[in-house]
């Protein structure tokens, strides 16, 4: 089962960025542990700070991968292009946020992409990505 994880803007700074909100671990380190925990998945990771590159990656993976997990960062709250891209592809998408966006500023309470996603996880820290993998595992009981 092929799963693409996509992280959006500023998430390349995980581990250094606002550790009180996002924790101390880099995504690369967390991703290495995910690979160990979920050997049955073929896990791919992509990060970009550029909105159009996130759209391109959704198009690239959106027809032959089995699942996409996206943390679109701040574009979550602004991007009609990501909303449309997720709506355009066939692969199911799970939205993840490390922090609890509803416990933060009001501008973070609105997501433009949730309506096109299978579901959304927010506030579980990095573990949210693992919970999204559990969802895909549940969908495919052979794993
Ligand atoms: C975030 C929440 C967003 O509001 C913020 O812009 C981010 C990270 C999260 O993972 O908690 O960059 O998506």
């Amino acid at each position: 089962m092929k799963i693409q994880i996509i992280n959006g803007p500023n998430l390349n700074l995980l581990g250094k960025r606002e550790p009180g909100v996002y924790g101390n671990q880099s995504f690369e380190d967390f991703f290495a542990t995910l690979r160990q925990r979920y050997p049955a998945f073929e896990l791919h990771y992509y990060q970009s700070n550029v909105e159009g590159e996130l759209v391109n990656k959704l198009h690239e993976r959106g027809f032959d991968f089995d699942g996409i997990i996206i943390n679109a960062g701040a574009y979550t709250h602004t991007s009609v292009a990501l909303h449309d891209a997720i709506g355009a592809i066939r692969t199911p998408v799970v939205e993840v946020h490390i922090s609890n966006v509803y416990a933060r500023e009001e501008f973070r309470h609105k997501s433009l992409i949730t309506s096109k996603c299978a579901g959304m996880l927010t506030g579980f820290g990095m573990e949210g990505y693992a919970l999204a993998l559990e969802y895909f595992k549940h969908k495919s009981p052979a794993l």
Side-chain angles (χ1 to χ4, degrees), residues 30-103:
F30 176 71
F31 187 62
T33 67
L34 264 192
R35 281 208 155 128
Q36 284 170 353
R37 288 170 64 187
Y38 293 92
F41 286 106
E42 185 183 316
L43 295 179
H44 296 246
Y45 169 55
Y46 177 76
Q47 189 278 330
S48 178
N49 295 320
V50 181
E51 185 177 11
E53 297 296 343
L54 301 173
V55 171
N56 285 340
K57 187 54 76 177
L58 286 164
H59 292 178
E60 187 188 329
R61 301 310 202 194
F63 295 91
D64 58 350
F65 269 48
D66 303 294
I68 296 174
I69 298 169
I70 188 166
N71 182 345
Y75 290 140
T76 304
H77 316 298
T78 62
S79 180
V80 175
L82 286 178
H83 165 100
D84 288 354
I86 295 168
I89 62 179
R90 251 200 321 261
T91 300
V93 179
V94 174
E95 177 183 357
V96 168
H97 299 285
I98 296 165
S99 65
N100 179 352
V101 289
Y102 297 107

Side-chain angles (χ1 to χ4, degrees), residues 104-124:
R104 301 182 65 195
E105 300 95 326
E106 203 166 330
F107 64 81
R108 296 185 204 277
H109 297 185
K110 173 107 191 127
S111 166
L112 296 192
I113 67 172
T114 312
S115 63
K116 295 293 179 189
C117 291
M120 191 249 241
L121 290 149
T122 187
F124 299 110

